[in-house]
Structures are given as C-alpha cells and as structure tokens.
Amino acid sequence: MTSLPAGSAPGRPARPVPPTATYRLQLRPEFPFAAAERAVPHLAGLGISHLHLSPVLEAVPGSAHGYDVTDHRSVRAELGGEPGLRALAATARAHGLGLVVDLVPNHMAASPRHNHALRALLRDGPDSPYARWFDVDRSAGDGRVLLPVLPARLPEVRDRLRVSGGALRLDGQEFPLRPGTEGLPLDALLDAQWYRLAWWRLARTELNYRRFFTVSELIGVRVEDPEVFAATHAKIVELVGDGVVAGLRIDHPDGLADPQGYLEALAAATGGRCWTVVEKILTGAERLPAAWPVAGTTGYDALHRLDGVFTDRAGAGELADLYREFTAWPEDGGGRWGPTARRAAHEVAGHDLAAETAVLTRTAERICAADPALRDHAPWALRTAVHELLVRVPVYRPYRTGDEEALPPAAVRAAKAAFTVPEEATAVDVVRDLALGLLGDGPEHRAFRARFAQTSSALRAKSSEDTAFYRYAPLLSANEVGGDPGRPAVSPDEFHTYCLRISRDWPDTGTVLSTHDTKRSAEVRAGIAVLSQCPRAWAELLSGVAGVPAPDPHVAWTGWQTAFGFGAPDRDRLAPALLKAVREAGLRTGWTEPDAEYERAVDAFVAAGPGRVPLRGASDAALALEPHIQAHVLGALLVQLTMPGVPELYQNTERAYRALVDPDNRGLFEPGPDDDRTALVRAALRLRRERPAVFSAVGSYAPLTAEGPAARHCLAFARSGRVVTAVTRLPLRLAEAGGWQDTGLTLPPGRWTDALGGVREFTGGPATPVKLAQLFGQRPVALLARLETPS
C-alpha cells in the first residue's frame, strides 16, 4: 500500500496498487469462463494488467448480461461455476493479469422461481428472515407484495393457473405457496398468499417494492442492513480474500439507500485490498464525494470530456439550428435541450415512476400526521411538492444532510411556483427538508430521505438517458451517459482543468470510450462528431436523400445520422437501433403502448434509406471526411490510454469496432486482425506497463500548449515529464485554415523518441520547439517517450 493521494479525504483508505489498464469481457452462456481463459494470451499481449468481467454470480438462466442476480452465494453455473472462475484467475495470473469483477449490490431478479430469498419472503411473509432483504411498502393496498407478472387481468388468466408440487404455476412462472394453503379452492388460495398476482400494467401505479429504475423484473435489495450485506457479499469477499478477485466495479451505487455507508462496509470487508470504482454518473461540475473509499468512477465523466474536446463548439451550435429548422419540433418536444429534458422529467415522474412518488407521498403523510408542527398539509399538496422537487434535482441525487447542491434555492422557488395557493406551497419546504434530512431522524424520516434519493436517481436516468436523449438529436455523439447534449463541446482548457483535478484527487479512477451501456461505440460517435466541423455539408447530405420517405423529420435526422456514424448500410443492425430510439423517445410509440403502424413506417424507412444507401460514400465531400473521422478515432483512443486514470478497453475495441445501442453492443468477444488501432493500443499500454509510476503518480499531468496559427488544433500533455501525448483535434477545420503552417510545440527537456514506431527523435526545451507539421507528418497522433540517461 502507498500513502493517501494529495487532496484525498482523510477517511479514504490507502491506495491499493491500481491496474495499469483493464479489458472488459461480456460473459454469457455462449462465452463462459473457459472461453475467456482461451482469450487470455491475446489480451495479455495487448499490455493490459486486468480482465474486467461482467457479473459472475448466479443469475436467471440464459441471461445475456448477468445483472439479474438470483443467488449471491454461488458463482454462475452456466459460466462454469466457481471452479471455472478460479481456473480463469489462475490462467490470467500465469500471464501477469488480475481479475476485476462487476458487482451488483442494488438489485436482484424479481423471479421467485430462481431467487431463493424472494421465494422465501413470498412463502413465509413478514416473519421470514428474508423480509429484511427487500423494500416493501406494506402500507399500500392490502399490505401484500404486488407481483405484476400476469399477461392480462386475473379473471382472464385464472383458468390457466395450476397448483402442483407445492407451488402456483402459470406459463412457466412459479410462485411458492404459504404453508397450509395448498388444499384451498383457487380463489381462497390466491387471497391467502403473502403476495398478490396482478396484471403487469398495474406496476406503474400499484407496485409496492423498490425496483431498478422502472424495471419491475429487478427488485431492490437492502444492503444497508448489516445482515443483508453480509449474506449478499460473503462469496465475493471470499474470492477477494483468496486472491481470485483483485478489483470491483460497483454497479449503480445511486440506487442504494446509503452509498457511502455501503462502500465503507465493502472496504472494511475486503480489507481495502480491492481497486474499486463506482458506476457513478456525474453531471456538469458535480464532484465524486471525497469521502467515498473508492479509486474513482467507472469513467463516464472522462468519456464526456474525451468526446467533447473533439467536438467543434460553433459547428455544434449550427447543427442545433439546422435540426430545429429540419424537424420543426416545439422547444419542449426536442427543439431545445433544457425544455426537452424538463418535459421528459415531468412525464417520467408523473407516469413511469407514479408508484415511487406514491410511496414518498404516503411516507410524508405519515410523518406530517405524527408531528403536531407539520399537520394539515393536504395529501395532494405533498404529492405535488414531491413531484415538483424531484424533477428539479440538478444532479442524480442528494447524498448528505443539507445537500443544497441537490436541492438549491432556485429549485425550491420553482417548485413553489407550481402552486396556485401560496399557503399550500409550504408543503415544498416540508418535502425539501425531509429529503435533505433536516426534519428529524426517526425511521420514517430516514426512509423518506433514502427513498427520495433513490427515486431521484431513477428519474434522472430514465428521463434524461432513456427519454430526452432520444428526443433531442442535433448531434447524437453527445447523447451518452454522463454527456450534455445541450453543451456537447469541451475546450482544451476545460479538458486540461479536468485532467489536472483527476490527477490530483482521483489518480486511479477509471476512463472509458465504449462500454456495454454506451448507445454508440466510440468509432460510431467519431463518425457523427465530425459533422460538427461541417454542418452545412451535413445539410447537403440530408437534402440528397430527401426523396426517401420517413415517418417524421426527427426519425429521418436520427436515422441518417446514425447510419453516417455507423459507416455502412446495415438494415439488420440499424433497424433495431432506430426502433429502440423511437420507443424510448415515447412521442409516437413506446414499449408498453406500441403503435404498430408507425413502427412499420420506421422499418420501411430504414429498409429504403439508411439500411440501403451508403451515405458516407454518397459524394466526394462525404468520402473526404474519412481521414478526419479516423484522426478523431485515433486521437481519442490515444488520449484515453494516456490521460490520468486507469483506461479500460471494451471487448473488441482494440481494433475497428462499430456498435449501436444494446443489445447490439453486448455481443461476444471475437479475436480479429490487427489494425492501426491495435498497434496504438499496444504501444501506449506497453509504456504504461513499463513505466507505471509515470502514469499513476499523483499530480503527474502537465498540459502542453502549442504556439502558432493552428495552436487550437493540437491537444498535448506530458505525464511526469517522461511521456508526451499530442493529437490533432478538429482536423477538417485545420485543413480549411491552411494546415499547421509554422505552429510548434515545446516538449519538456530531454531527448524524445517516437513510441508508435519509426526511428524519429526530437529534442525538448524552449529553444527547439517541434514543428507540428513534422510531428504529425506520418499520422495525426504522436506518443513520445523520453530517452532515459543511463545511470
């Protein structure tokens, strides 16, 4: 262990030795531990230090992702079980690699057939030892657990229900029976259970257990309870103790009642031996809580900066104007980002999360009824206050008592403005103070505070990432988790400021370009981002395909831009992606109320247009963009591999990799031929492996500034004065302005060699700035290593 990094909170544990780079593998029955084991030699040859595995604990049979955990006590049998995992760890260790595992503490599969804990709760009721595992609001309805699993109303499926083998069965589903009820007539048997079977559509308004976002098939787990934590983490802690697992990725910490408390318990249980990162989405200038005992985030904050620094701000603004003109959207229906996001938040809070806001309202009513100082707030006023405050939380959720960043005074004033009677608006103050822990610390108060935070994070994710991102589409490359579609560009100065802070405060945080959750892989986003450098050319491309009928202008813009980024017409992959886009947008069709005629029109549009026409080869102007797209691809990749933090490669991204939204991006690992990306990956990771201290040292990042007429087109930095990264940004604008001309870059003192190949050497120091035309003469990126003087 080493000492605490500068700028760290005093409570943060000493730093475990971090990975130099990780490689994410998506495990599934078709790609189990044994298949991953066979890939180890290839992956070790890339220069990574750790494999990052998707969830490994027991999950629903056939699951393609593993986030639907069913049993924390065992490693997933379909992947090879614990022997398979230990064999993979041994092979990886023999090649110098460790394992990082994706851990899912927030939720489990809500399948009583497969989830032993849920099955016990449903069988034995509130007295079950597993009752403490799940958040169930028994004040709702008749107090039983609502299971929204029926394909239709109960009377319509009643005759298909069967009792056999001590269970109630329907179409492959299985529900345990309360002891002593097996012989009852069917109606009496149903009424006697600790649960109520219901039509799936009732989940939106009647659900009384906490779930993951709006997914009723995933039930929330109360890991804040020490007994639940111990039971759900014993196997992972054992694997860490045995040296099988060296790092953890914590899925969706914002869903937890107390993220910091959970992370502290996890650090204590693992003895601080794990490099641990959290899937925490940071918005704008939001910071990761300094007291969290983790190495940092999984890297979406880095992804936003990486994409943004290769996006042209002026061109992005022009694209937004063109988009509004093309679609004629109203401002809150896709015309402008802010109003679109707010409208989506109101819709999701009032519709998709109606059951969650109802829980909060009932809890607030009980608190007010029990406190003489809070009585006589009407239920409708409390419900309105809950809604109006939730939609105005500017970050994903509050964390600490009195967290004004999460509910600032402006949000309170705006929430009160929704009331026509000022006296009723005092309910906003009550709800705000409850949400921030300022009105008592009883069980109900703590429950409200936790549930408000959990609902806030679900609302933000569902309304922004899963709704508004699909409604507002001027530049789709900006519509990624952690991104800001309303402000997609990041200046070099902003990028450097971010890197300096990360190098100081979170030097071992994660960085990513593509993940299993990105809506478009880095290569597809680069193909779209180049349009910010040529908005008028994009308008001309669109006019050239205007004869292809589309259901509406928004679909046309989204479909053609997606196809342009993808690079080649592929109906089989573009059609599902566009169908998902229009369903998530929820404007003309949706997941639960699909419009079949509209969806057929979307499919016909893809077949006739984006899935057939090679837009990137449609004109000489389009073909001329290819080298600029590739400059972005290589530049972003090299910056990610050498900036502060631990870089992660998503499976298959060591070479050209084009993927769209899941499930397209969750396929199998496939070894393929090397290309220019592979060579760059190997060179950069070789430097990280050979010189780990150069990259992991606190404060090791130093911006370098070019001088000359094209200085803004060079992004450069040094790591510990011994490695220099320099890349070309906005190359199309650069070419239009006349190229590099006499622009130069001063390297740190010393002699420097080209780490990407060749025999080129450069001399550092202010007396001999390197001409960028020379530095980028062979490729649009440069990675230089200082030649060490023999001691």
Side-chain angles (χ1 to χ4, degrees), residues 297-565:
T297 73
T298 55
Y300 287 112
D301 45 319
L303 185 152
H304 168 54
R305 273 78 178 187
L306 285 161
D307 279 359
V309 80
F310 290 94
T311 299
D312 184 72
R313 178 163 291 161
E318 192 172 346
L319 274 175
D321 292 338
L322 290 169
Y323 173 75
R324 281 188 286 274
E325 179 183 337
F326 185 87
T327 61
W329 275 142
E331 288 206 353
D332 65 349
R336 293 188 185 276
W337 170 245
T340 298
R342 283 192 292 275
R343 175 182 170 185
H346 278 288
E347 291 176 8
V348 171
H351 186 272
D352 304 69
L353 294 174
E356 284 72 16
T357 56
V359 170
L360 287 168
T361 302
R362 287 193 296 270
T363 308
E365 288 177 32
R366 292 194 297 271
I367 292 172
C368 289
D371 187 338
L374 300 177
R375 287 177 187 163
D376 290 342
H377 283 288
W380 74 262
L382 292 171
R383 181 173 60 251
T384 301
V386 165
H387 176 104
E388 295 295 335
L389 284 174
L390 278 172
V391 301
R392 289 178 170 82
V393 177
V395 291
Y396 271 72
R397 59 168 281 172
Y399 291 106
R400 62 186 185 276
T401 300
D403 187 357
E404 280 209 354
E405 184 181 48
L407 283 174
V412 175
R413 289 193 297 272
K416 288 182 174 181
F419 288 77
T420 55
V421 179
E423 292 83 359
E424 298 281 10
T426 56
V428 171
D429 296 317
V430 172
V431 171
R432 174 193 179 273
D433 289 351
L434 285 173
L436 298 185
L438 302 175
L439 269 184
D441 194 39
E444 292 273 48
H445 298 79
R446 293 194 298 272
F448 184 95
R449 180 183 175 189
R451 187 59 70 90
F452 185 93
Q454 292 165 322
T455 304
S456 173
S457 70
L459 172 60
R460 179 76 182 213
K462 189 64 184 172
S463 65
S464 291
E465 300 166 23
D466 292 345
T467 305
F469 276 14
Y470 290 98
R471 294 182 178 180
Y472 182 79
L475 188 66
L476 289 171
S477 57
N479 295 15
E480 280 299 344
V481 179
D484 184 354
R487 190 179 181 275
V490 172
S491 72
D493 284 346
E494 290 170 325
F495 182 84
H496 288 314
T497 298
Y498 168 79
C499 288
L500 286 166
R501 178 172 60 81
I502 292 302
S503 178
R504 180 192 70 226
D505 296 343
W506 303 98
D508 303 332
T509 191
T511 69
V512 293
L513 277 172
S514 297
T515 76
H516 64 288
D517 277 335
T518 43
K519 292 173 171 53
R520 299 158 193 88
S521 65
E523 191 131 348
V524 175
R525 298 199 309 276
I528 295 171
V530 74
L531 301 176
S532 70
Q533 300 177 60
C534 55
R536 290 296 165 185
W538 169 243
E540 292 173 8
L541 282 172
L542 276 184
S543 66
V545 292
V548 180
D552 56 62
H554 172 73
V555 168
W557 181 286
T558 299
W560 286 116
Q561 198 172 94
T562 300
F564 188 88

Side-chain angles (χ1 to χ4, degrees), residues 105-325:
N106 177 69
H107 50 267
M108 300 178 71
S111 167
R113 180 178 180 182
H114 302 108
N115 183 336
H116 74 99
L118 179 59
R119 184 167 61 250
L121 167 65
L122 298 178
R123 181 186 64 235
D124 301 326
D127 293 332
S128 166
Y130 290 99
R132 64 196 310 157
W133 278 49
F134 307 107
D135 282 314
V136 178
D137 180 14
R138 296 190 181 275
S139 70
D142 60 8
R144 297 186 292 168
V145 179
L146 183 91
L147 295 182
V149 296
L150 300 182
R153 293 181 178 88
L154 179 60
E156 299 173 40
V157 299
R158 181 187 180 282
D159 291 344
R160 289 155 52 190
L161 291 168
R162 296 288 182 269
V163 176
S164 66
L168 183 63
R169 303 177 189 277
L170 173 70
D171 301 340
Q173 298 187 81
E174 181 180 300
F175 310 95
L177 293 178
R178 182 176 179 178
T181 65
E182 295 89 340
L184 295 174
L186 182 58
D187 289 337
L189 180 145
L190 291 172
D191 289 342
Q193 302 311 311
W194 292 113
Y195 55 86
R196 174 192 164 201
L197 299 183
W199 187 25
W200 66 269
R201 286 189 179 275
L202 294 185
R204 184 178 66 80
T205 55
E206 310 303 316
L207 194 73
N208 63 345
Y209 62 78
R210 185 173 65 84
R211 56 184 168 170
F212 171 71
F213 294 168
T214 58
V215 183
S216 302
E217 294 79 9
L218 296 172
I219 186 169
V221 181
R222 299 184 63 252
V223 292
E224 66 270 23
D225 184 301
E227 289 187 21
V228 178
F229 176 90
T232 55
H233 288 71
K235 177 54 65 177
I236 284 293
V237 171
E238 174 193 332
L239 293 170
V240 171
D242 290 349
V244 175
V245 172
L248 295 170
R249 172 201 184 266
I250 308 303
D251 182 69
H252 189 45
D254 275 350
L256 305 177
D258 179 11
Q260 182 171 325
Y262 167 79
L263 294 168
E264 289 171 347
L266 183 65
T270 58
R273 291 186 292 272
C274 271
W275 174 77
T276 302
V277 289
V278 287
E279 188 200 24
K280 169 61 191 150
I281 314 304
L282 301 169
T283 60
E286 183 186 8
R287 305 288 178 86
L288 188 66
W292 285 14
V294 296
T297 73
T298 55
Y300 287 112
D301 45 319
L303 185 152
H304 168 54
R305 273 78 178 187
L306 285 161
D307 279 359
V309 80
F310 290 94
T311 299
D312 184 72
R313 178 163 291 161
E318 192 172 346
L319 274 175
D321 292 338
L322 290 169
Y323 173 75
R324 281 188 286 274
E325 179 183 337

